[in-house]
Amino acid sequence: MEHKAGFVNIIGNPNVGKSTLMNAFVGERLSIITSKAQTTRHRILGIVNGDDFQVVLSDTPGIIKPAYELQSSMMDFVKSAFEDADVLIYMVEIGEKELKDEAFFNKIIKAKIPVLVLLNKIDKSTQEQLEEQMALWKEKVPNAEIYPISALENFNVANVFNRILELLPASPPYYPKDALTDKPERFFVNEAIRERILDNYDKEIPYAVEVETEEFLEEEDIIRIKSVIMVERDTQKGIIIGHKGAAIKKVGIQAREVLEKFFGKQIHIELFVKVNKDWRSNNYQLRRFGYNQK
């Protein structure tokens, strides 16, 4: 039987459901899912394997106009998604009418590869709205196939995946067939902690935070983790820690529960908070955290 393999890259505005879709395809929570915008910062690969296929999915940050160096680096991850895609997924949600960056939109409508426009969150729409939106996006992206879906409710997701398999080129696998992602364990520890921070803190705090796991020691029945939460200012450090350490303790408990499910082992986690002044605008620090890799 012919083996198919290829890269399927997901782009779109912030908070349209890109991470939910990729996790639905992969069956694991590889990408952060919260109601807050701009939660995905890196380009995260999720790999789906079958006997005769390997789909390498790429979740990218939501498209924005960058305000500081970190966001510029995030948009570089989106640009790279156009360079190696065999299939491009452009994800929109009901009520949306445009991509926030015209240059990216022009790349989509001029793409030489198959483009799937996924109209997400249709569980929140009426039939009339859905028909209007389908017509709108057919006119805007005439080179695309359009699918109404609900990534959260798993509606029509299997049909989209089957279409992806039809569009993939014949190729040997790019990664080992038992691989789930290209990211190391520490990356998912960092993301689990950052997701809990997004859930528990308001305003600027979550966006000023980066997490670095300094120790990941796997023993037979337990994983011992030591992670540092980086913030930009002393006031943010105090907010993260909370009164008598209550806030950071809550983050640690919630992150441990998520990681125990993810790794299937008991987790012992220690969290520390450090001030790393203006790290979001510091090229050296951004490279250290895996951004600005060009």
Side-chain angles (χ1 to χ4, degrees):
M1 194 180 293
E2 182 181 60
H3 191 280
K4 290 182 151 196
F7 290 82
V8 179
N9 300 342
I10 308 168
I11 66 166
N13 285 335
N15 210 25
V16 293
K18 297 183 297 297
S19 298
T20 307
L21 176 71
M22 190 178 85
N23 292 339
F25 282 150
V26 177
E28 292 279 349
R29 296 193 66 207
L30 299 183
S31 289
I32 284 184
I33 302 170
T34 82
S35 58
K36 292 191 170 84
Q38 297 175 42
T39 50
T40 300
R41 287 180 176 171
H42 294 264
R43 187 176 168 191
I44 302 168
L45 296 190
I47 303 165
V48 185
N49 291 292
D51 291 339
D52 58 347
F53 68 84
Q54 182 177 81
V55 181
V56 185
L57 295 147
S58 177
D59 181 22
T60 59
I63 295 171
I64 53 173
K65 289 186 176 173
Y68 44 82
E69 194 61 34
L70 169 63
Q71 291 183 338
S72 295
S73 179
M74 287 160 59
M75 292 308 96
D76 288 336
F77 289 127
V78 181
K79 288 173 189 171
S80 72
F82 284 91
E83 293 164 9
D84 60 12
D86 294 294
V87 178
L88 187 67
I89 290 178
Y90 172 38
M91 199 158 179
V92 297
E93 64 178 336
I94 289 287
E96 197 176 334
K97 292 189 168 72
E98 61 184 7
L99 196 64
K100 289 185 176 161
D101 188 302
E102 195 174 336
F104 279 124
F105 192 74
N106 286 332
K107 283 189 174 186
I108 294 168
I109 60 179
K110 292 175 181 174
K112 304 294 186 197
I113 55 171
V115 177
L116 306 181
V117 170
L118 304 189
L119 183 53
N120 192 29
K121 305 183 184 180
I122 64 164
D123 48 304
K124 297 180 179 179
S125 73
T126 63
Q127 185 63 31
E128 185 181 6
Q129 281 178 306
L130 178 57
E131 289 171 4
E132 285 175 3
Q133 291 273 287
M134 293 281 286
L136 172 77
W137 287 107
K138 190 62 196 167
E139 184 181 346
K140 277 183 171 286
V141 195
N143 57 317
E145 297 177 29
I146 302 178
Y147 289 84
I149 69 162
S150 171
L152 191 62
E153 303 292 336
N154 224 14
F155 173 77
N156 219 18
V157 170
N159 288 334
V160 173
F161 190 79
N162 290 336
R163 181 58 180 145
I164 288 168
L165 292 182
E166 291 172 357
L167 293 169
L168 285 186
S171 168
Y174 291 94
Y175 294 91
K177 292 285 276 193
D178 60 351
L180 183 69
T181 181
D182 66 329
K183 298 293 184 188
E185 288 95 341
R186 291 181 190 221
F187 177 84
F188 294 103
V189 173
N190 298 345
E191 290 291 272
I193 296 166
R194 200 163 66 82
E195 184 175 16
R196 302 282 70 81
I197 291 168
L198 280 155
D199 286 345
N200 285 293
Y201 299 87
D202 293 326
K203 299 176 183 172
E204 176 66 9
I205 292 294
Y207 303 103
V209 162
E210 186 60 65
V211 181
E212 187 173 44
T213 294
E214 294 185 339
E215 286 184 16
F216 184 95
L217 303 173
E218 187 164 5
E219 300 172 12
E220 189 175 342
D221 56 356
I222 192 170
I223 301 173
R224 301 185 188 279
I225 295 167
K226 187 179 290 184
S227 300
V228 176
I229 299 168
M230 304 282 185
V231 293
E232 291 191 309
R233 297 191 296 276
D234 285 320
T235 51
Q236 294 167 345
K237 179 178 179 179
I239 293 168
I240 289 287
I241 293 170
H243 181 61
K244 294 185 177 179
I248 194 171
K249 183 179 179 183
K250 183 180 179 183
V251 168
I253 290 168
Q254 292 176 346
R256 188 191 73 221
E257 291 171 354
V258 169
L259 292 168
E260 285 181 341
K261 285 180 187 172
F262 189 82
F263 290 111
K265 276 190 175 183
Q266 187 180 344
I267 299 286
H268 178 267
I269 188 166
E270 291 182 76
L271 297 179
F272 303 87
V273 187
K274 290 183 182 176
V275 176
N276 188 339
K277 190 171 169 55
D278 296 327
W279 69 267
R280 287 184 293 178
S281 301
N282 183 310
N283 280 319
Y284 170 76
Q285 296 295 341
L286 288 169
R287 280 194 296 274
R288 175 185 159 195
F289 295 137
Y291 307 101
N292 280 11
Q293 296 297 302
K294 53 182 180 175

